[in-house]
Amino acid sequence: MNILTKNRIISKIKTVNVVTMLALTCSSLQAQQKAVDVLVIGGGASGTAASVESARLGVKTLLIEESGWLGGMLTSAGVSAIDGNHRLPGGFWGEFRDSLASHYGSNNAMTTGWVSYTLFEPSVGNEIFQKITQREKNLSVYLNSSLQTISRQKGFWIASIKTPNGVFDVRSKILIDATELGDVAKMCGVKYDIGMEDRHITGEPAAADKACNIIQDLTYVAILKDFHKDVRIPRPVDYDSTLYFNCCINPLNYISTNPEKPTWTPQKMLTYGKLPNDKYMINWPGDGNDYYLNIIEMTPEERVEALKKAKSITMGFVYFIQKELGMNTLGLADDEYPTFDKLPFIPYHRESRRIHGLVRFTENHILNPYTQSEKLYRTTIAVGDYPIDHHHNRYIGKEKLPDLSFHPVPSYGLPLGTLIPQDVDGLIVAEKSISVSNIVNGTTRLQPVVLQIGQAAGTLAALSVLQNKRIDEVRVRDVQNSLLKHGGYILPYLDVQRNNPVFLALQHIGSTGIMKGEGKSVNWANETWFKADSILRMKDLDGLTDVYPYLNMNKWKNKEWTWNDAMRLLEKISKHEKLLTAKNVKSSIVGIYKSIIKGGGNPDLNHKITRLEMAVLMDKILDPFNNKQVDIHGAYIKK
């Protein structure tokens, strides 16, 4: 037995022991109702992040997960190649990546395939999530458990939870739906959409001409392992080789009816998702194991039956790889999933219900954040930089759908109001069921964004409890401050890293809208820049009068600014806002210059000032981020 296999067996024994202990804990609770502050249903990417963050903020939290694993699409579904946010390693996503790097030895050790900079074995991801949750004293985790019923009574949620050791009730102040398909939101009566919106209604350039219930393909991922010997499986009963003709260059291409012949070699296709330790993630969209199936409104029993076909498609693809491509030493890994078929616990769901939230985030908010009537960029709680990527290859009639394969958009911030449903108190919705358009779901569904969504959901829930406020009463800035304190991003600026002393200033000032970033699409590397080193001009402060409407800025128009100009403006605002005297403003500028910006000496007041320098001065002297509160739509709240 090799060391790796031995470690996997030990890990599985530990997981079983944890489940056993949790089951015993449940048995002692059955005679009474368990009370918690926050109840999280679904231990996927967002549910794990939400429960950890809620517990870290000091509130009693319970996480319920149907399988024996944590991590959802990252682990239980096998999508263990991270898409996007490589240069934005914020918050819980950054913590998870750092934990993976520690396990494998470095970040470079995870760059094993070409689709991602971060690839890992799903079982390792589960082990990391389990360890993180076990360290939190305010967090209880019940695995192999499920929600049976939920009701709202006298300001509390009463949930019936089925565990391996029986059924018991839980009373919670706040409920978080972190399920894969938004099932809890439906149980709670939340309004939602499924499928595509009408472009003429949403105004999104990339949307469909007419609304429909078509969703993205799902995938039953396969994790293959090189056994270095022939491990071919028997031919599947319903095997149809024509489904895979164009997955890559192969001898069967010549009889394909598709005029567009593939350009990928078999090796290129395989190494797309190459994982450490001679393993391969098979999640191939082009005539591979994607499958069109809409199970969202099915019963649990109907879903299980329908998903058999998705599994069959995947097993057929595995057989095609072994037989037609001659890779007969590759077989389903025997040290990943403790399932009878060695496939993941769940499929990779790219799309689910999308709730009607306090705000709806659309493509227009990403393309032109500053010109929208709602200034949602001021309320953001997570960032993403992946293109809008929809999978419709297996849908019959795909040629009539919008082409949204890596549709370019700038990087973006996701607004808080997408997590808060309309008309249902005490509920927060996470994972892929947040209030975004069908188009935008094609980028917010990616793993790093969903981990951040979970962290924001946990933060909002905990603050609601700690402040004794309704969810919609918690201040946007309070949520953002907590996320920034815990290493998150609220805007996707690439100018400075999180450990830079001016990082917070750029996040703060950008979020006020006083100074705005510039987003652009560069292939897959969608970006937003604060333009930190550019010389400050009057036009760079076009959002100043939104915050301080009494200012008359005409005398500085189109002029390159100096430190002296900046000082006079800060003196004027400080006097009106009753913050600092002119003498104290000048003293503060000198101190900020010495300690943060240049690290010594006095500023030359006649020298030109950069956007970054002005942002730091405004943040430290005026603090508009905290002194000027915004509502959930991004409008400034008038006192």
Side-chain angles (χ1 to χ4, degrees), residues 82 216 219 468 514 571 598:
I82 301 293
Q216 291 194 61
T219 306
N468 194 26
I514 292 174
E571 287 173 352
K598 296 298 182 183

Side-chain angles (χ1 to χ4, degrees), residues 321-340:
I321 290 170
Q322 292 177 332
K323 181 179 184 296
E324 306 299 346
L325 302 184
M327 299 178 178
N328 59 19
T329 65
L330 299 181
L332 289 167
D334 56 0
D335 53 354
E336 284 296 325
Y337 294 105
T339 53
F340 75 94

Side-chain angles (χ1 to χ4, degrees), residues 169-458:
D169 288 342
V170 176
R171 186 183 72 170
S172 70
K173 297 176 182 177
I174 304 295
L175 177 66
I176 298 178
D177 179 358
T179 59
E180 293 292 324
L181 298 175
D183 292 332
V184 175
K186 180 180 180 179
M187 293 172 70
C188 295
V190 176
K191 295 178 182 178
Y192 58 87
D193 296 318
I194 297 174
M196 299 181 176
E197 291 101 352
D198 188 321
R199 173 163 43 106
H200 303 96
I201 295 175
T202 67
E204 294 175 295
D209 287 333
K210 191 178 294 186
C212 64
N213 66 351
I214 299 169
I215 66 170
Q216 291 194 61
D217 297 350
L218 56 75
T219 306
Y220 244 105
V221 174
I223 304 298
L224 302 186
K225 174 181 174 181
D226 194 339
F227 289 86
H228 304 288
K229 62 180 181 180
D230 191 337
V231 289
R232 280 177 292 183
I233 60 174
R235 177 189 173 100
V237 174
D238 56 353
Y239 174 67
D240 180 0
S241 63
T242 65
L243 293 173
Y244 316 108
F245 276 178
N246 286 304
C247 66
C248 63
I249 298 170
N250 66 81
L252 298 180
N253 289 155
Y254 73 95
I255 57 174
S256 169
T257 58
N258 187 346
E260 298 180 6
K261 302 302 182 185
T263 58
W264 310 99
T265 65
Q267 194 62 25
K268 185 74 172 177
M269 181 193 74
L270 190 67
T271 55
Y272 162 92
K274 189 177 190 302
L275 308 179
N277 296 315
D278 276 344
K279 293 178 185 174
Y280 300 86
M281 179 197 72
I282 305 301
N283 176 28
W284 189 249
D287 282 13
N289 51 331
D290 278 7
Y291 181 63
Y292 182 75
L293 179 64
N294 188 341
I295 67 169
I296 294 174
E297 297 287 46
M298 293 182 182
T299 66
E301 295 75 19
E302 290 171 337
R303 289 175 178 176
V304 170
E305 187 63 30
L307 286 170
K308 289 180 180 178
K309 180 61 177 176
K311 286 188 174 185
S312 175
I313 292 293
T314 294
M315 293 306 297
F317 192 37
V318 171
Y319 181 76
F320 185 91
I321 290 170
Q322 292 177 332
K323 181 179 184 296
E324 306 299 346
L325 302 184
M327 299 178 178
N328 59 19
T329 65
L330 299 181
L332 289 167
D334 56 0
D335 53 354
E336 284 296 325
Y337 294 105
T339 53
F340 75 94
D341 54 13
K342 301 177 185 176
L343 290 177
F345 293 100
I346 59 173
Y348 176 30
H349 296 286
R350 293 182 176 87
E351 198 166 331
S352 65
R353 299 178 178 92
R354 301 188 312 283
I355 65 163
H356 292 187
L358 296 186
V359 303
R360 172 62 64 93
F361 191 50
T362 70
E363 181 189 10
N364 295 325
H365 291 114
I366 296 179
L367 294 175
N368 302 294
Y370 305 120
T371 61
Q372 305 303 307
S373 58
E374 292 179 304
K375 308 305 180 185
L376 297 184
Y377 68 87
R378 294 176 181 152
T379 71
T380 53
I381 43 77
V383 297
D385 66 1
Y386 205 72
I388 291 172
D389 181 27
H390 283 218
H391 286 227
H392 293 294
N393 192 57
R394 290 299 192 185
Y395 179 74
I396 304 301
K398 62 184 178 182
E399 62 280 353
K400 297 180 181 179
L401 303 178
D403 182 5
L404 294 170
S405 178
F406 303 112
H407 180 71
V409 290
S411 54
Y412 58 88
L414 179 73
L416 176 63
T418 59
L419 280 63
I420 308 173
Q422 300 174 6
D423 305 324
V424 178
D425 293 334
L427 174 65
I428 300 169
V429 177
E431 199 64 25
K432 294 177 280 286
S433 296
I434 60 174
S435 182
V436 297
S437 69
N438 167 266
I439 295 296
V440 170
N441 171 73
T443 178
T444 58
R445 68 177 173 82
L446 278 309
Q447 308 100 314
V449 180
V450 174
L451 286 169
Q452 293 172 86
I453 289 169
Q455 185 173 9

